[in-house]
Amino acid sequence: MKLKEAAKKEERLTGGHRLCSGCGAGTVVRLVMRASDNPAVVGCSTGCLEVSTTIYPYTAWEDSFIHNAFENVAATISGVESAYRSLRNQGKMDEDFDFIAIGGDGGSYDIGFQSLSGAMERGHDMVYLCYDNGAYMNTGIQRSSATPKGANTTTSPAGEVIPGKQQYRKELTDIMAAHNIPYVAQASPFKPQDLMKKAKKAFETEGPAFLNVLAPCPRGWRSKAEEGIELTKIAADTCFWPLFEVENGEWKLNYNPKAKKPITDWLEPQGRFKHLFKPENEGLIEEIQEHVDERWETILHRCGEE
Amino acid sequence: MSNQVALTGNEVMAQAMRQINPDVVAAYPITPQTAMVQLFSQFVADGKVDTEYVTVESEHSAMSATVGASAAGSRAMTATAANGLALMWEVLYIASGTRLPIVMPVVNRALSGPINIHCDHSDAMGARDSGWIQFFAENGQEAYDNAIQAVRISEHEDVRLPSIVNLDGFIISHAVENLEILADEDVEEFVGDYQADNYLLNSEDPIAVGPLDLQDFYFEHKMQQAVAASNVKDVVLEVAKEYEEISGREYGLFEEYKLDDAEVAVVALGSTTGTAKAAVDNLREQGVKAGLLKIRLYRPFPAEEIANALKDLDAVAILDRADTFSTTGGPVYIDTRAALYDSDADLEVVNYVYGLGGRDIKVEEIESVFEDLQQIAETGNVEQKINYLGVRE
Amino acid sequence: MVKPGDGYKDIPKGGLILEAGNAKNYKTGGWRTKKPILDKETCINCHRCWAFCPDSSVLSEDGDVKAEIDYDHCKGCGICAHECPVNAIEMEKE
């Protein structure tokens, strides 16, 4: 769908929410919701998006919305969707609804991981959207299992002895693909049409669909607000955040950079990686580059692009 | 019309759930509740109910999905026990704070650790300030009757609060009893259709549930909850009256057993009240004016009514199947003493913590409590206020 | 709409918000330090600014982005200007 055409549809997330200036979550959610053709029930795990969009007595959602707790948005939407199926089967309602559960990386990779896995396994007809900004940004930039190796966060600080986060990030998209659900995709807002297309597929999928979308966080990434979208392009060009989808078990690459860029292009503009450029951490950047390269090879192999 | 049947507590609760026919049940199996959800899933598999049964991966998700289903506008139930209830703890408060009329049987079992699967009330007591209505039952019949009434009470417009229907693990859940269940159509008519005021699955009037509610309105929402809790007693009595018409069984906030002219009495809840009745009968035969107050509605606590019923006694013992480890006694003791403070009662109140982890309580042990009470009544001298009954030194 | 100072008897039960999308009434424009100015002559109507705006503040009407910027809600992040392929948006100091 052309952006011009997409813009003709109703806005589902209004202005007046209180996400930070330049927050990628707002962009991601607007684009994803645009792909829904039905009234929706939106669930949100506790996090930036939730606290910013529904500060009583205001809601920025044009659709019905539910926030329950941090770790249970997938279970909560499971319940809503089950109610819908029950009421429809009993002939108590006949309207079509879309169901979407949204979590940050904390609510999806970590504390909400079990709830997410359970909901996907049970096969609820719902979309799960993870907006991954790579840390617990809402509580002040603590590390999550989505935080990239080397990142300076408030619980993985770059110190005299330890240079930021010690572990590589968890590949949640792969884990969701391993659930053998009908549709899994990794996307990025710098390609809005690709994101909307994936969201549309996700909404149209019968059964569970999972979207993992990189969302820039100027506060946590220590980057310039205006550069957020550009950074998500650099993430794809350096192969840090590949764009792919897994449709009924078939892997497909959606973006292959013409010239793969060095990982330093991704690290340098972000203050959270600043310490990596000290002479003593040189080896670490090499290590990260190797890891990205290996990961990229795996993705290419799975997508039959070798 | 009703049917005489021989069923275990778990089986009769599954029958109650079948007759209530909720739109959604999201539950996770846990001993000693397991048989209840197994039987209910069989009803689902056999098409005996319209329920969508969500086989969640934990109790936390059970309560979370039930909250979602209830907020969506459907009638939703779950069931649990012990550690399962503890795992739900966070979401219990969200259910009551969001004013969702969920009904949940809880098969009472000791909380770990060490792990133990048998009856005590530490699970229910851990949830006593969660804003849920709580009923206790002497036997399977009462648990069944409570479950059906709880739907009406929770959904009442003056209440809109969730209910826990407690039944003692194994002692009630696994014991076969002769009991009466109502005709399906009578239950259907009694519970009626559920219509939420505002709900998610309404595209005409979309709503937001569970917003960030800060200093300027959170307190007002909690005040609404407090008012709703204070409405519960009247609604319980109103619903009981209606239920009596279809069942012939009478219910109140509590049952007074030979309490009218009693001089000494025990207060208890759950299956132990049956044992206590046997003790009271024995003592009455010996000429002792013994009595029992059996609490049915434990939350909200009918303080004034309980104090009124106890105030003319010489001495009363509160039997607690849970400890608070506060050194100030068990939870029912603390509640009852607080209730008596404002009455013009002049009586001694002592506490017996008993039966933890399923330790059996015998008629003779309750008789020994009455002996202590008689002595206290005669001498006015309380040697020990908080006692542990049936534990080895 | 629930108003500041409303008592517990006046507001919906359980913290429910009954008016979807009422955050429109909350103005976040005051957060801005820089203001995007759209040069309608230079604009090629590609809608990238519309797509990337986190605050739904680039308004599009009938497929035409040249409509307006919603200054009531624009927080001045500058993504629109940064991503514009023809430099049709400039960030001006407030």
Side-chain angles (χ1 to χ4, degrees):
Chain A
M1 182 168 28
K2 284 193 172 157
L3 295 180
K4 215 177 286 187
E5 292 308 308
K8 287 181 184 167
K9 292 174 77 177
E10 292 286 303
E11 195 69 58
R12 308 281 279 266
L13 182 73
T14 71
H17 63 67
R18 287 174 248 182
L19 288 164
C20 298
S21 176
C23 172
T27 306
V28 169
V29 166
R30 281 186 57 226
L31 291 169
V32 168
M33 289 309 294
R34 209 147 276 266
S36 159
D37 290 323
N38 295 309
V41 178
V42 180
C44 238
S45 66
T46 310
C48 294
L49 183 69
E50 169 265 325
V51 299
S52 307
T53 56
T54 52
I55 302 181
Y56 192 86
Y58 295 101
T59 172
W61 300 90
E62 295 285 9
D63 295 274
S64 271
F65 170 93
I66 181 167
H67 159 251
N68 191 337
F70 193 1
E71 68 283 55
N72 61 2
V73 65
T76 305
I77 290 297
S78 298
V80 177
E81 188 262 355
S82 299
Y84 167 77
R85 262 184 299 127
S86 179
L87 297 175
R88 268 181 82 113
N89 290 343
Q90 294 176 63
K92 291 181 182 171
M93 65 177 290
D94 58 3
E95 203 176 356
D96 288 325
F97 266 91
D98 284 338
F99 299 96
I100 179 165
I102 309 177
D105 47 292
S108 311
Y109 285 67
D110 291 348
I111 196 168
F113 184 60
Q114 173 182 315
S115 168
L116 166 59
S117 176
M120 296 294 105
E121 183 273 333
R122 288 190 299 272
H124 295 279
D125 191 7
M126 63 187 267
V127 177
Y128 190 97
L129 166 67
C130 172
Y131 65 100
D132 182 345
N133 51 28
Y136 299 113
M137 301 309 187
N138 188 42
T139 43
I141 321 163
Q142 293 83 28
R143 66 88 88 182
S144 77
S145 61
T147 302
K149 182 165 181 162
N152 180 6
T153 74
T154 53
T155 53
S156 65
E160 297 288 323
V161 181
I162 305 172
K165 195 195 175 206
Q166 293 292 286
Q167 301 81 12
Y168 289 110
R169 30 170 289 113
K170 189 196 265 181
E171 298 296 352
L172 184 64
T173 315
D174 294 19
I175 299 168
M176 288 302 115
H179 281 63
N180 292 323
I181 55 176
Y183 189 70
V184 171
Q186 192 159 291
S188 194
F190 85 92
K191 283 215 160 280
Q193 277 141 307
D194 178 70
L195 174 56
M196 283 192 288
K197 197 169 143 196
K198 286 170 174 169
K200 193 160 176 58
K201 278 190 190 179
F203 280 119
E204 283 172 359
T205 297
E206 267 182 51
F210 175 82
L211 300 173
N212 202 1
V213 185
L214 187 64
C217 171
R219 282 280 298 124
W221 293 9
R222 306 279 182 230
S223 56
K224 290 181 186 153
E226 68 270 26
E227 289 177 5
I229 298 297
E230 188 189 353
L231 275 171
T232 65
K233 180 169 191 311
I234 296 171
D237 284 337
T238 56
C239 301
F240 170 81
W241 189 266
L243 308 191
F244 60 92
E245 59 192 336
V246 188
E247 214 167 342
N248 297 313
E250 205 158 308
W251 289 64
K252 190 179 163 203
L253 193 70
N254 309 116
Y255 181 76
N256 199 344
K258 284 187 192 98
K260 187 179 166 202
K261 291 185 172 160
I263 196 64
T264 44
D265 282 15
W266 161 248
L267 301 174
E268 238 173 343
Q270 302 182 54
R272 60 177 173 159
F273 299 118
K274 195 170 141 199
H275 57 288
L276 298 181
F277 293 90
K278 288 181 182 168
E280 65 267 30
N281 288 330
E282 203 177 314
L284 198 48
I285 291 186
E286 275 169 38
E287 222 183 276
I288 292 169
Q289 180 69 64
E290 273 170 37
H291 185 80
V292 167
D293 292 346
E294 271 173 40
R295 167 82 183 143
W296 179 240
E297 288 305 315
T298 307
I299 298 282
L300 288 178
H301 176 73
R302 284 180 184 157
C303 297
E305 294 273 340
E306 285 165 309
Chain B
M1 211 195 80
S2 58
N3 296 311
Q4 283 280 348
V5 287
L7 293 174
T8 66
N10 273 337
E11 287 165 353
V12 80
M13 289 306 263
Q15 291 291 347
M17 288 167 77
R18 179 184 61 75
Q19 294 180 315
I20 292 165
N21 192 15
D23 300 308
V24 176
V25 168
Y28 190 76
I30 179 170
T31 303
Q33 157 266 39
T34 319
M36 190 193 306
V37 295
Q38 282 175 349
L39 184 56
F40 187 76
S41 41
Q42 191 66 51
F43 294 143
V44 175
D46 293 341
K48 299 264 164 70
V49 285
D50 298 310
T51 309
E52 278 293 325
Y53 184 56
V54 191
T55 49
V56 280
E57 80 299 328
S58 72
E59 287 90 353
H60 194 282
S61 285
M63 185 47 65
S64 302
T66 308
V67 162
S70 184
S74 75
R75 182 178 272 153
M77 292 182 76
T78 180
T80 193
N83 298 40
L85 182 64
L87 188 56
M88 289 178 176
W89 199 79
E90 175 194 29
V91 194
L92 293 177
Y93 284 73
I94 294 167
S96 59
T98 311
R99 310 293 300 280
L100 300 173
I102 296 160
V103 173
M104 169 167 67
V106 170
V107 187
N108 303 117
R109 161 186 154 183
L111 282 181
S112 305
I115 188 168
N116 175 294
I117 58 166
H118 292 284
C119 176
D120 73 29
H121 296 154
S122 50
D123 53 2
M125 292 304 162
R128 70 186 188 275
D129 296 336
S130 64
W132 283 59
I133 299 165
Q134 285 205 39
F135 298 96
F136 279 86
E138 181 182 334
N139 48 40
Q141 180 73 67
E142 290 186 2
Y144 167 86
D145 292 338
N146 285 345
I148 290 164
Q149 291 175 72
V151 175
R152 287 282 305 279
I153 295 160
S154 278
E155 291 175 4
H156 194 285
E157 61 175 349
D158 296 342
V159 176
R160 294 281 157 120
L161 290 171
S163 288
I164 287 173
V165 181
N166 290 293
L167 62 154
D168 282 354
F170 291 103
I171 304 164
I172 298 177
S173 68
H174 285 59
V176 177
E177 251 176 67
N178 281 319
L179 34 77
E180 274 185 20
I181 63 170
L182 298 170
D184 291 354
E185 57 274 19
D186 287 350
V187 177
E188 190 183 345
E189 197 185 328
F190 185 77
V191 299
D193 276 333
Y194 171 56
Q195 185 54 56
D197 301 327
N198 308 106
Y199 52 100
L200 296 169
L201 291 172
N202 181 355
S203 65
E204 298 290 305
D205 291 302
I207 58 165
V209 179
L212 178 64
D213 196 14
L214 299 171
Q215 297 95 323
D216 43 358
F217 282 105
Y218 178 88
F219 201 173
E220 277 66 33
H221 290 124
K222 289 294 138 183
M223 186 62 205
Q224 294 176 329
Q225 210 180 318
V227 170
S230 71
N231 293 338
V232 170
K233 280 189 301 197
D234 286 348
V235 174
V236 166
L237 293 174
E238 189 185 310
V239 171
K241 206 174 276 174
E242 247 184 88
Y243 191 74
E244 189 184 349
E245 283 167 25
I246 60 162
S247 68
R249 290 183 290 279
E250 197 182 329
Y251 284 96
L253 306 174
F254 47 81
E255 179 189 339
E256 297 174 60
Y257 186 74
K258 301 188 179 174
L259 201 60
D260 260 2
D261 63 337
E263 290 165 356
V264 287
V266 295
V267 174
L269 29 77
S271 62
T272 303
T273 55
T275 317
K277 282 176 183 171
V280 167
D281 291 347
N282 290 347
L283 289 162
R284 283 275 172 177
E285 273 175 31
Q286 294 162 29
V288 180
K289 290 193 167 174
L292 162 75
L293 187 145
K294 176 178 91 182
I295 295 176
R296 174 181 180 236
L297 177 69
Y298 176 62
R299 277 291 180 271
F301 194 67
E304 211 183 317
E305 292 82 353
I306 287 177
N308 234 341
L310 298 178
K311 68 176 172 28
D312 296 328
L313 294 164
D314 296 331
V316 62
I318 317 300
L319 306 187
D320 264 299
R321 203 161 194 157
D323 200 352
T324 59
F325 306 104
S326 64
T327 72
T328 54
V332 188
Y333 174 66
I334 295 170
D335 287 329
T336 312
R337 276 178 74 86
L340 286 163
Y341 186 84
D342 279 336
S343 71
D344 52 359
D346 178 23
L347 78 165
E348 295 297 341
V349 192
V350 289
N351 189 206
Y352 291 81
V353 174
Y354 75 97
L356 301 189
R359 175 67 49 85
D360 211 6
I361 175 106
K362 301 184 186 75
V363 178
E364 303 83 66
E365 284 172 314
I366 297 177
E367 286 173 0
S368 80
V369 170
F370 275 111
E371 275 167 37
D372 295 352
L373 288 177
Q374 281 174 275
Q375 203 170 358
I376 290 167
E378 273 164 31
T379 63
N381 184 20
V382 178
E383 270 179 39
Q384 199 163 335
K385 282 206 185 290
I386 300 159
N387 304 272
Y388 290 81
L389 184 66
V391 71
R392 294 182 302 275
E393 283 195 20
Chain C
M1 170 89 193
V2 171
K3 299 179 300 299
D6 277 355
Y8 72 87
K9 292 176 181 168
D10 305 321
I11 60 177
K13 284 177 194 164
L16 303 190
I17 299 170
L18 305 183
E19 297 134 286
N22 66 355
K24 294 184 204 73
N25 304 324
Y26 188 87
K27 310 274 163 77
T28 50
W31 297 18
R32 249 187 347 260
T33 55
K34 284 181 179 171
K35 186 176 185 175
I37 308 288
L38 175 66
D39 172 11
K40 296 181 184 181
E41 296 300 309
T42 317
C43 173
I44 54 168
N45 202 30
C46 70
H47 272 74
R48 282 170 66 82
C49 53
W50 168 85
F52 295 135
C53 177
D55 292 290
S56 323
S57 293
V58 179
L59 305 177
S60 169
E61 240 177 64
D62 299 326
D64 185 6
V65 81
K66 299 179 185 182
E68 268 317 317
I69 284 174
D70 168 9
Y71 292 115
D72 281 345
H73 299 111
C74 165
K75 294 170 188 156
C77 70
I79 286 179
C80 53
H82 191 78
E83 294 296 330
C84 178
V86 292
N87 294 321
I89 303 175
E90 266 203 68
M91 297 302 289
E92 254 183 29
K93 259 200 164 160
E94 281 281 344

